Structure formats: structure tokens, C-alpha cells
Amino acid sequence: VKETNFTRLCSTTKILTINGMFPGPALHVHKGDTLVVNVQNHAKYNITLHWHGVKQPRNPWSDGPEYITQCPIKPGANFTYEIIFSSEEGTLWWHAHSDWSRATVHGPIFVYPKAGTTYPFPKPHAEFPVVMASWNKGDVMEIIQDALSTGGEPNQSDAFTINGQPGDLYPCSKPGTFKAVVDYGKTYLLRVINAILNEEMFLAVANHTLTVVGMDGAYIKPLETSYIMITPGQTMDVLVTANQSPSHYYLAARAYAGLVYDNTTTTAIFRYNGSYTAPKTPAFPNLPNYTDTDAATNFTTQFKALASNEHPIDVPKSVDKRIIITISINTIACASNSCDGPNNSSLASSLNNISFVTPEIDILQAYYRRLKGVYDTDFPREPPYVFNYTADVVPDDYLTPEINGTKALVLKHNANVEIVFQGTNVLASAENHPMHLHGFSFYVVGSGFGNFNNETDPKSYNLVDPPEMNTVGVPTNGWAAIRFKADNPGTWFTTCAMGVVHALSSGKTCELGYGNRGDRKEWQNRSYKIAAAPFLLEPLLTLASQC
């Protein structure tokens, strides 16, 4: 981890990188592999890395979120992650899980089929990563620290990038535009990753049909489309056949957002090999409009798991525990009304009216070492207040979170769990909420707009072939229902994958040091050998809002 000078948009700035690369290096593994990564921190900031979508069976020590499963890696220190792959296959990604450093510290993970097996579709001729990210002319760490100190919104990004390049439509950017060079008649696999901090994105290739075959490290039934919509934190495996007249075609992406943070468009070029006269300007795709909710919904509601003999699914048909969680953007009063948020308050966010406070000691070590006073286990299983969550005007009574605290939700081992994430219109935020669950994948069994109805909405659940994901986009002023089996003991984070962090921080240094590999191995052995022990049969899902 080190700071590196990069020149984009006519100016040079220092950014945090891995091995001097933006995006960082791709990791190539096969299904079921174990990968060991040593992170040496040569930068001036604390850092952790998270392996987004890797379940890490019985290995929460290497999951990565700071103050949840580890203390951050201090400047000058190093930490070795043991990354255990299990059932994942397809595209995943890794990223920093500390402050806003993930804006530039991230990269793809390609999980290939096990030796002796193959894809559930004809093997593509080649593959290209399509890593979308945010670019800021300013120092992203200073931007988020300024927002946290003043209580206001962070500055919006200055550009989006594809594989580190903004593309032809931005100043001083045309020479570096990423080019995917293709042969006529061949099929290519695009490994698409939305590493952007805040925006859901529409993406398309001019004049070409896209076939989505996987997402979040699991296969889906092939879905033909002219565009995709991908939420922050999600990945998609997309096939595209080079079957148009040899030329240059734009691959372009722009935001889908009711509340647009960055309304610019990033581009790459789909360039055919061969002898032809290149066009003055490549053909441009017909992208949906920024606010085209119908286009977004029509796309995302078509996902269905492949559910084949080779790639089976196991959807809980009944549940032991249903949990309903409201997601809100809130405000917290400041001394002398001195903050930059609405009504001179500080912006915050909450789950079930609780705004997460970062502990002084990471929760996993506190749990493992039985340390008292670090967290509470009384996270509510339903909202403390029932009101019209998605009303056009929500009363000011709900603006301020009821509790600022470190709360965990305890689940019994092997329980079948349903979580309904309910968006709210508190503060008229018009926000989408990409919710990511560490340590598990889950089945998205239903979603909709308005308030979730406990009597009628479950009747429309897909319990036959729902898509298996690790990050779900909760619709603006809507809800999404997920199901999973709590079969992976540990301390696991449930968080909003957007980068605008309004969580409260204690500001203290994590004092216990790092869980070493011996601790991790002992955790795995003890979990297996004393499976009847209640504290190991009850994995902690730490539910915190970091929207």
C-alpha cells in the first residue's frame, strides 16, 4: 500500500494504491482455492482489505472490515490475509475497508471453475475486466474527513473511470481511454465490477447485445439485454459477441440515481481487429436516462439463478427468524447548530433507528476474548417505530436516530433467516441502498416499491430460482427480502456498500493488535470441535449503517 502520483483530468494528484496500480492487481484463483496475501502498509493512513463476496468459511479473521474483524494495519506494519474460497465461481473483487480508501484501493478477483470442470456456457475467446470507479481531483481521504468533521455531504466525484481511465468525454483523457480489442465472430467475457462509491450505473456497448450469465460469484439463467444496471459493490459476468461490422464502438456507463451525485459519462472502446477505416467518433450506445426507474427495475427483476445439477441452489423454503430493518438517512444535532448538514445539523444514517458507533476494539476479538463493554447484542429484530416509511413527507420526529451505539444481532447456528430491508424517505433522501452481507451469499426472494406488507408480499416471493447474491440494491423508497442459512460462525458485517460514510466514530486507536494466524486456526478448530458451544454456534451479524 503506497501513495502514487496519477494524472487524470489535466491535473496530477496522489492516490492510495496497491503496488502502484489503479485499479489494483487482479487476483486469479480457481473455485475452492486458498489464497494468502501479505499487505505491507507503506502509506500514512491505516488500512484494511476486504474480499468482497468471499464467504471465508469459519475464517472471519481475514474478512477485513476495520474495527469489526480486525484492528487496521498501521503505517509501517503488515498483515497476512488467508482467503478461503468455497462455492464462489465467477467475478468478485477486493477493496479497502477503511474510510474512503476503497475509492482507489480495489481490484478484481477472477474465480475460474475447478480443474476438470468448465463454464455452464461455451468458453469465451477471451475476457476483459470492466472496473468502474470514482475519480476525485482532490484527496479522497481529506474529502471524507472534511465531511465527517463538518457533518455535511462529501464533494461529488469529478469523473467515473473504466479500468482507471475516464474516457473520451472528459478533458485530457482521450489518449488513455481503455480499449478492448476483439476479433469478428468471437465471444468475450466482460467481468464488470461497480467499485464506484455512490452511484448505481447503467452500462451498454453500442449496437451489441449483452448476455448476463453470472453475478456476485454465482451463475444465473442467461439474460439477453441491451444494457445492464449494476449497483455499488455488485459484479456481473457478461458475454458479448463481436458480430457487428468491424469498427469502433463505445462501451459507456452513466449513473442511475434519483439523486444524481455525478452526472458524467465514462467510456471505453470496443475496437475490432482488421483492415477498415476507423470512424471519426465511435458509435454511442442508447443508455437509459439517469432517472429511468422503469429501465432499472425491468432489468433487475429478471434475475433468476441457474439452478442446474452442476450449480444447485438451496433456498430456505421456511424461516426460523424474520428480521425487518429500516434504512434511513438522518441528522444529529450539533453544538451551537454549527454543522453543514440540513438545518445546521450533522448527517448520519441508521438501521432500525440505530446509528453505528465504531468501537475502540474490534468486535471479533472482543467476542473471541470475551471482553465486556465493547458491543451489545440487542440489535432490534424489527423497527422500533412503525410509520409510513415511504411517504412523500415523513414527520421530523424520525429525523434523529434513537440510539448511537455498537449493536450486534445474534443468530443461532444453521437458522434459516429472512431479512427484509425497508428503505425510508426520512429526510426526503431519495437514496438507493446497496446492502452487502459479509461471510454469506443470500437469495433475493422478493423486492418492491413502497412499504413491505408482511401479509401479502411474501406470497409473491420466488422460492424456486431466486438469484444468489452478496449485495442487493434496495430500491429507492422500496424494499428487498433476502434469505440465507446462518451456517458460517463468526462476526460478520452487514453494511450499505455506498461510500458516503456517516457512521459515528469513537476516534480511538484499536489497542489489541492483530489477530494472528494462530488465533485464526484455533478459531477454526474450536468452532469445529465444540460445535455445541452456544457462543460458537451463534455467529454474530454486526448490523451497521454506513451509507
Side-chain angles (χ1 to χ4, degrees):
V1 185
K2 62 180 182 179
E3 288 187 303
T4 308
N5 284 328
F6 272 74
T7 301
R8 298 287 186 272
L9 307 183
C10 316
S11 64
T12 299
T13 187
K14 269 188 179 176
I15 65 171
L16 213 55
T17 66
I18 297 291
N19 296 349
M21 301 168 62
F22 171 66
L27 304 179
H28 299 260
V29 300
H30 286 84
K31 182 178 180 179
D33 281 354
T34 295
L35 188 65
V36 177
V37 175
N38 179 251
V39 179
Q40 301 175 15
N41 190 358
H42 295 169
K44 63 183 180 181
Y45 300 104
N46 287 345
I47 196 81
T48 63
L49 295 186
H50 169 56
W51 320 94
H52 195 108
V54 183
K55 299 184 185 72
Q56 296 274 38
R58 296 180 183 267
N59 190 33
W61 302 102
S62 284
D63 190 47
E66 66 174 356
Y67 299 107
I68 305 300
T69 62
Q70 70 174 99
C71 297
I73 309 166
K74 298 176 182 179
N78 77 90
F79 184 85
T80 297
Y81 290 94
E82 183 181 34
I83 307 154
I84 301 173
F85 294 84
S86 52
S87 61
E88 308 89 354
E89 188 173 327
T91 304
L92 299 172
W93 65 303
W94 57 267
H95 59 83
H97 211 297
S98 41
D99 293 317
W100 254 18
S101 47
R102 85 165 169 91
T104 55
V105 178
H106 59 254
I109 304 175
F110 300 165
V111 187
Y112 298 106
K114 269 187 176 179
T117 67
T118 187
Y119 301 104
F121 45 81
K123 185 177 179 180
H125 177 68
E127 62 187 14
F128 298 105
V130 179
V131 183
M132 294 183 288
S134 308
W135 181 265
N136 293 80
K137 289 183 178 180
D139 185 318
V140 294
M141 302 299 280
E142 291 179 4
I143 290 171
I144 186 58
Q145 287 306 319
D146 181 65
L148 289 172
S149 63
T150 64
E153 281 281 3
N155 293 339
Q156 71 178 35
S157 58
D158 295 295
F160 299 125
T161 61
I162 292 175
N163 295 343
Q165 297 290 341
D168 288 2
L169 306 185
Y170 296 93
C172 306
S173 300
K174 198 165 186 176
T177 298
F178 175 76
K179 298 172 180 64
V181 181
V182 301
D183 293 325
Y184 180 82
K186 299 290 178 63
T187 297
Y188 296 84
L189 175 59
L190 306 182
R191 296 183 177 270
V192 184
I193 298 167
N194 187 351
I196 291 167
L197 289 174
N198 291 307
E199 287 87 354
E200 295 180 301
M201 298 294 287
F202 288 118
L203 179 145
V205 180
N207 299 354
H208 288 74
T209 297
L210 307 177
T211 303
V212 185
V213 292
M215 61 185 306
D216 284 4
Y219 294 117
I220 66 171
K221 291 180 172 64
L223 171 60
E224 285 196 0
T225 180
S226 60
Y227 64 92
I228 67 171
M229 197 286 289
I230 182 169
T231 203
Q234 284 185 338
T235 64
M236 291 187 186
D237 297 307
V238 181
L239 297 176
V240 57
T241 299
N243 56 8
Q244 299 299 300
S245 300
S247 187
H248 294 184
Y249 299 86
Y250 272 132
L251 183 159
R254 70 181 177 201
Y256 160 61
L259 184 64
V260 177
Y261 288 93
D262 181 337
N263 61 4
T264 60
T265 301
T266 181
T267 59
I269 294 176
F270 210 61
R271 189 182 77 188
Y272 280 70
N273 272 321
S275 179
Y276 57 87
T277 301
K280 211 170 184 182
T281 303
F284 200 86
N286 184 23
L287 287 167
N289 191 43
Y290 302 110
T291 56
D292 194 339
T293 297
D294 288 342
T297 305
N298 290 342
F299 174 70
T300 57
T301 54
Q302 294 185 72
F303 300 146
K304 296 182 186 300
L306 183 60
S308 66
N309 291 333
E310 295 79 14
H311 300 280
I313 60 174
D314 186 16
V315 187
K317 298 296 193 296
S318 60
V319 295
D320 303 305
K321 184 69 68 177
R322 173 178 284 157
I323 301 156
I324 300 177
I325 298 175
T326 53
I327 313 166
S328 301
I329 303 297
N330 305 99
T331 60
I332 295 176
C334 290
S336 303
N337 293 325
S338 57
C339 289
D340 291 345
N343 300 316
N344 302 118
S345 63
S346 176
L347 282 167
S349 55
S350 66
L351 298 181
N352 276 355
N353 219 26
I354 298 172
S355 194
F356 185 70
V357 176
T358 303
E360 299 179 18
I361 297 168
D362 69 90
I363 292 174
L364 176 58
Q365 291 198 65
Y367 177 45
Y368 182 72
R369 300 183 184 190
R370 299 176 175 86
L371 301 177
K372 303 296 183 183
V374 177
Y375 63 89
D376 298 312
T377 57
D378 58 348
F379 185 91
R381 285 166 167 75
E382 58 186 25
Y385 303 113
V386 177
F387 58 96
N388 184 359
Y389 306 118
T390 58
D392 290 338
V393 178
V394 175
D396 289 346
D397 297 350
Y398 306 108
L399 279 178
T400 302
E402 183 179 41
I403 297 172
N404 302 319
T406 309
K407 304 286 187 178
L409 174 66
V410 181
L411 299 176
K412 289 185 178 180
H413 185 245
N414 280 332
N416 289 333
V417 181
E418 176 177 311
I419 298 179
V420 178
F421 293 111
Q422 173 69 63
T424 72
N425 200 34
V426 174
L427 208 61
S429 56
E431 290 271 13
N432 70 292
H433 300 283
M435 299 303 296
H436 171 52
L437 176 58
H438 294 224
F440 298 86
S441 58
F442 49 74
Y443 298 100
V444 181
V445 296
S447 64
F449 292 99
N451 301 324
F452 175 75
N453 186 306
N454 195 33
E455 296 295 327
T456 60
D457 285 327
K459 295 176 182 178
S460 64
Y461 281 179
N462 176 9
L463 300 180
V464 177
D465 54 2
E468 185 178 358
M469 302 183 189
N470 59 63
T471 304
V472 61
V474 180
T476 300
N477 287 336
W479 58 272
I482 67 171
R483 287 189 178 184
F484 64 96
K485 181 178 285 292
D487 57 0
N488 189 12
T491 299
W492 305 106
F493 211 19
T494 300
T495 181
C496 181
M498 291 175 70
V500 183
V501 180
H502 297 304
L504 298 176
S505 174
S506 65
K508 302 289 181 64
T509 301
C510 199
E511 297 293 345
L512 283 180
Y514 314 116
N516 60 45
R517 295 182 73 182
D519 285 341
R520 285 177 266 177
K521 188 58 66 178
E522 184 184 356
W523 168 277
Q524 292 166 347
N525 291 340
R526 288 178 63 181
S527 297
Y528 178 77
K529 290 177 182 174
I530 57 172
F535 73 95
L536 287 174
L537 286 176
E538 295 183 339
L540 287 172
L541 297 182
T542 304
L543 293 165
S545 180
Q546 287 197 325
C547 288

